[in-house]
Each structure stands twice: as C-alpha cells, then as structure tokens.
Amino acid sequence: MKNVIGTIVLVLIHLLASGQDLLDELDKVAKPKKAFAAATFKSTRIINGHSVETIARNHLDFRIAHRFGMLNDGAYNFFGLDQATMRMSFEYGVTDKLMLGFGRSTSQKAFDYFAKYKIVRQSSANGGIPVSITAFGAIDAISLNTSPQFKFYNNMERLTYVGQLLIARKFGERLSMQLSPTFIHRNKVETSADPNDIFALGLGGRIKISKRTSFNAEYFYRLPFSLEKGLQPNPAYHNSLSLGFDIETGGHVFQLHFTNSPGMIERQFITQTEGQWGKGDVHYGFNISRTFSFDKKKKYEK
Amino acid sequence: MKNKLWFLIFCLCSGAAFSQQNQWICKKGETGFFSETVIENISAQNKNVVSIIDIAKREIAVRMNLTDFKFQNHLMEEHFNENYVESEKYPVSIFKGKIQEEIDWGRNGTYDISARGALSLHGVTKDMLLKGKVSISNGQIVLLSNMDIVLKEFNIEVPSLLITKVSEVITVKNKMIYVQK
C-alpha cells in the first residue's frame, strides 16, 4: 500500500515537473530589468524652473515661451495679453544624460547658456535609488545697452551664474515632487543693498489629471541670508509662485500657466520677480516644446 | 522494492532530460512594428525578446519587456510606455500558443507555420493567430512571423486628435532564431 502511494506521489511530481509551463521556462531565461523611473516630469521645465528631465541623445528641443502682461492691467490692455515677453531656445541632448541649451529672452535682451547633467536616476529594482538627481549650471548675459540708470562698465558686469541641484522623486504614476536648491551669483546688482549672491530653495511638483495632462506647481523661496554680512535679498522683489498645466500631443508639450514672474531664466524669476499674487500681479504664459530626433541609427524600415 | 524505486527515479530523470531536448530557445529575438499614416511614420524595435518552442508538445511561448522597445524619437518611446501600453502597470507582453501544423522538425527546409493561442498585452488577454514561416537548418530554427494587433481590442486608446498620427491596426513582425536547449 505504502508503495502504491509512494509511486503515485512520484508520478505526480514527475507530471508536475514535465508539465512545467513553457512560460516558467521563459521567466528563467528573461533577465530581470532594472526599471528606471520614466517621465518624472513631462518636460525639461516644471514651469519656469528646470525639472530633472533632460533631452534624449541626438534630440533637439525647440522651445518658445511667452509671458503676457499682468491680469490686473485691466480691460484696456486686454488683461495683459496686449504685451508679451518671449524666450526662444534650442536645447540639445548630447548624451542621454547631458544636455546643452542656448536661449534668448526679449526681457533685458538676455542671452543664456546652460548645461544639465543627470547624476543619478530613480530606480525601483532592488538596491534602487529613491530619487533622481540632476545638476544644472547656467550663465546669462544682459545685452541691453548701458544706460545712465543701469551702467555697465565692462562686459563681465553683464554676467550672472546659476548653479542648481534638482532632486526629484516620482511617487507612483501620478505624483512627482522636486526640490531645487539654487545658488545665483550676479556680477552686478542694481543697488548696494542688493547682495550679489542669492540662495534659494525651489519646490515643485505635478499631479497627472489624465494620461496626457498634468497640473503643475512651483515655488522658489529666497533664503533670508547672504554671503555678504548684513545683506538680505532685496525686499522689493518677491518669491516666485507659478501654477499651470502640461498638455502633451504627440511630439509637442504645451505648458499653460499663471505666474507672478515675467522672466523665464533663473536670475529673472528667482531674484527679480516684482509681482505679487495677492495684488493680482499675475502673468498668463505658455511654453511650447517641439522635439526633433536626429537619431539616424534607431530608424527601422518596414 | 528498492529496485522499483530506482527504476522510477531513472524514469523521472530520463523523462526530464527528454523533455529538455524537445525545447528550442531564442534569447535575443527581434520584434518590431511600423505604424504608417499620412502624417507620421512610427517604428520601433525590441531586440531582447525571449521565446521557447517545445517541438514535442507543439507549443510556442514568447515574452517581451515593453520598455525594451526602442523608437527613433525618444518622446514617442516615452509616450508609448506612459500612455499607450502603460508599461509601469503592465511591463510584459506574453504569447503562448499551440502550433497547428505537423512539422518534421528533423528535416531541413522551410515550412509555413501558424500558432493559435493567447496574447496578453496591456492587461488584456486575447485569442490570436500567429502566422509565419519557419526555416529549419542544422541545429537552428528561424521563425519569421506576423501578427495584426487592433489597438482597440487591447484597450489601447488613441486620442481622436492623434488618430491621424497613429494607425489603429499595427502589424507586429518577429524574427526569432532558436537553438536547442
């Protein structure tokens, strides 16, 4: 009797072993893949400030951004839409981690150049990293003619340097948050009460409303100290707050937003925001981004 | 008694060995698709597809990571993963089917082949027909196959704004080279 049971058990085991599913065999062969968090943000900008995203290798991002006048300009100025400042830029992915960009703003006739590098990427696999970290550096130059109000004695005085560390985490499919410690050094400031160096902390995030749209928010807090003793960030300027939506359609990303900062480069929106939300000094604006691929290798024929 | 047991164990081992011999495996299969519309052509390829054919049971299984699809335009790749196949939620696609033709796997030559079975993609499992040609030459099986995928049937939405950019039926082409396991 015992033997019979033993045999049956053995036969069953055998059946189980040989009836082993082909799919299980495949699971053994398939290599586990390290999954990086993809698309923490839809664009290289949250609103004004940079996000942890960079442009892919051999891809060119052509961006056009507008900020209109203030909503409290009244009906005569069509609530700000009669005037606009603009920034146009070409931004290129040198590798999947490094991107370079060049832009020109109508405001202050500023040229800006930046580099952005992905240091680490958030990954879910065992021993993964909980956040993505990207480093950002930029130089901008005011190309306005020197004037009695704001004199430039040499070209160095026109420059501003920006360094930022962008630290972001994608919490599941819908929510992403970012912290952006920022340091800005201006070679020349408007008044002697203004410090040359400004430290700021940016906080940004997005919540996806649908597959193709998300709600974004961003705030830059200027820290109340400076490297120069006794100086604080100029109280005539305010912290930048922006709210907006990202809408993607194929190769485009549209970003529509409201912000109290008309400037689109770090120095302008972090250190020189004049408007206040409480007073209705709110600008409507948008960014349009169109990406082109120059990656010939990855083109497949039918 | 003891002899019987040993005999059984022997049977088991040989059985296992035998079933191993019937399995042919492909570790770097290629799967690609091409979406053609008036406005935009989109193509992508996945070169890390794994597949097994069991010639005794006439079964075939294919498995791929959707994030392994490479597009020429990176933004399309991102949208493919994020909005179309939602690869964070449904990371793999699997096909398991029964080969319908009687094929003499021992003889070199090229044969028509078809397999009927279940394809899982985007959280939906559907009965599908895989059609193609199989070439057998010494120690190698090459399978070229096609499958037409109607996006709607797998709950893959294409927003109406984009229908002109993404075709609604996608032909997926596979190339697998199998060697004996």
Side-chain angles (χ1 to χ4, degrees):
Chain A
M1 188 55 203
K2 243 186 192 171
N3 282 343
V4 175
I5 291 173
T7 315
I8 289 173
V9 167
L10 275 172
V11 167
L12 277 177
I13 290 172
H14 185 201
L15 280 177
L16 276 174
S18 64
Q20 197 184 36
D21 206 34
L22 276 190
L23 292 176
D24 296 335
E25 297 279 316
L26 278 187
D27 285 341
K28 274 188 237 156
V29 177
K31 282 178 208 132
K33 224 191 147 202
K34 201 171 183 186
F36 289 109
T40 306
F41 292 96
K42 283 192 192 298
S43 169
T44 55
R45 306 299 199 288
I46 298 178
I47 291 175
N48 282 319
H50 277 266
S51 72
V52 285
E53 301 294 337
T54 62
I55 296 291
R57 193 173 87 94
N58 288 346
H59 283 56
L60 175 73
D61 184 19
F62 174 54
R63 301 180 69 93
I64 297 175
H66 278 73
R67 301 290 181 270
F68 293 97
M70 292 185 282
L71 292 184
N72 63 3
D73 278 344
Y76 180 71
N77 289 317
F78 204 53
F79 305 100
L81 293 185
D82 283 354
Q83 8 159 328
T85 63
M86 192 265 249
R87 175 177 180 270
M88 197 168 69
S89 67
F90 292 94
E91 306 180 358
Y92 192 76
V94 180
T95 71
D96 280 334
K97 289 182 170 175
L98 174 70
M99 75 180 273
L100 299 175
F102 156 66
R104 169 66 158 73
S105 303
T106 54
S107 160
Q108 297 174 313
K109 300 189 185 297
F111 288 90
D112 65 278
Y113 311 85
F114 71 84
K116 204 166 146 182
Y117 184 76
K118 277 185 181 168
I119 303 170
V120 290
R121 291 161 75 194
Q122 182 185 342
S123 62
S124 58
N126 293 342
I129 303 156
V131 291
S132 298
I133 302 177
T134 299
F136 170 84
I139 296 178
D140 78 77
I142 300 170
S143 75
L144 281 173
N145 285 337
T146 182
S147 67
Q149 291 83 36
F150 199 48
K151 268 205 171 92
F152 292 110
Y153 293 96
N154 60 55
N155 282 338
M156 283 308 284
E157 291 186 349
R158 299 174 176 275
L159 300 184
T160 295
Y161 309 98
V162 182
Q164 248 179 344
L165 213 54
L166 313 165
I167 306 160
R169 176 164 170 82
K170 190 178 183 181
F171 298 91
E173 208 183 325
R174 301 180 64 189
L175 177 70
S176 303
M177 299 286 275
Q178 181 176 303
L179 209 61
S180 328
T182 305
F183 170 70
I184 297 177
H185 175 83
R186 298 169 291 179
N187 277 356
K188 186 185 175 85
V189 287
E190 287 152 53
T191 66
S192 56
D194 262 331
N196 287 83
D197 301 308
I198 287 205
F199 294 93
L201 193 61
L203 185 68
R206 71 108 191 245
I207 297 175
K208 273 174 93 173
I209 305 168
S210 75
K211 278 186 193 170
R212 289 174 182 82
T213 48
S214 72
F215 172 73
N216 297 13
E218 185 182 66
Y219 182 70
F220 280 93
Y221 175 68
R222 295 169 305 153
L223 298 173
F225 59 82
S226 168
L227 293 178
E228 295 136 89
K229 270 226 169 96
L231 284 186
Q232 292 227 340
N234 191 338
Y237 294 117
H238 303 283
N239 293 331
S240 169
L241 173 68
S242 317
L243 306 171
F245 294 93
D246 279 6
I247 302 164
E248 63 171 58
T249 61
H252 294 81
V253 179
F254 293 104
Q255 299 182 294
L256 311 174
H257 35 253
F258 292 97
T259 169
N260 58 341
S261 312
M264 285 157 275
I265 55 179
E266 280 66 23
R267 172 176 50 77
Q268 292 172 351
F269 64 77
I270 295 175
T271 70
Q272 293 168 341
T273 291
E274 287 174 350
Q276 273 179 293
W277 274 78
K279 290 185 179 164
D281 307 334
V282 176
H283 305 260
Y284 168 69
F286 62 81
N287 302 340
I288 297 175
S289 151
R290 167 81 215 191
T291 309
F292 301 93
S293 171
F294 292 97
D295 202 345
K296 291 282 183 305
K297 261 191 236 154
K298 279 193 193 153
K299 193 164 187 176
Y300 305 116
E301 291 312 314
K302 229 174 160 177
Chain B
M1 173 49 212
K2 241 187 185 170
N3 281 340
K4 247 189 204 166
L5 208 77
W6 280 119
F7 177 68
L8 260 170
I9 287 171
F10 172 74
C11 280
L12 287 175
C13 293
S14 62
F18 185 66
S19 73
Q20 286 272 307
Q21 253 182 12
N22 288 325
Q23 287 184 351
W24 291 67
I25 191 157
C26 168
K27 287 184 183 172
K28 284 226 175 284
E30 292 175 18
T31 291
F33 59 81
F34 195 92
S35 153
E36 191 176 27
T37 57
V38 187
I39 295 179
E40 201 156 23
N41 291 338
I42 298 169
S43 61
Q45 201 158 38
N46 183 340
K47 292 187 173 178
N48 284 308
V49 180
V50 288
S51 175
I52 290 188
I53 295 180
D54 191 313
I55 57 175
K57 288 192 237 156
R58 302 218 317 248
E59 279 182 343
I60 178 167
V62 182
R63 179 202 154 104
M64 63 188 76
N65 288 325
L66 293 166
T67 48
D68 282 338
F69 275 100
K70 296 290 166 227
F71 288 68
Q72 193 205 359
N73 186 328
H74 180 78
L75 205 64
M76 287 176 186
E77 192 172 312
E78 205 172 287
H79 294 170
F80 170 79
N81 284 304
E82 204 185 353
N83 300 332
Y84 291 86
V85 296
E86 299 182 76
S87 49
E88 238 166 85
K89 255 193 249 168
Y90 314 108
V92 291
S93 177
I94 287 170
F95 175 77
K96 192 186 173 204
K98 189 100 184 151
I99 295 166
Q100 292 181 314
E101 286 80 8
E102 285 275 9
I103 288 169
D104 183 357
W105 298 96
R107 228 179 55 216
N108 290 354
T110 301
Y111 311 94
D112 284 326
I113 192 172
S114 64
R116 187 162 274 291
L119 173 71
S120 334
L121 171 65
H122 196 235
V124 178
T125 303
K126 243 196 125 265
D127 204 38
M128 298 285 285
L129 185 68
L130 183 87
K131 270 187 156 175
K133 273 197 178 350
V134 65
S135 310
I136 301 165
S137 58
N138 308 325
Q140 188 168 293
I141 298 175
V142 178
L143 173 67
L144 297 171
S145 60
N146 279 342
M147 201 183 255
D148 281 335
I149 291 179
V150 182
L151 296 183
K152 242 190 243 161
E153 295 179 344
F154 289 92
N155 291 340
I156 298 174
E157 291 167 51
V158 177
S160 52
L161 241 165
L162 293 182
I163 279 187
T164 46
K165 281 193 180 180
V166 180
S167 62
E168 289 164 80
V169 182
I170 306 269
T171 304
V172 176
K173 295 193 168 193
N174 309 294
K175 185 188 180 192
M176 317 272 179
I177 299 171
Y178 298 86
V179 291
Q180 199 160 28
K181 201 174 168 182

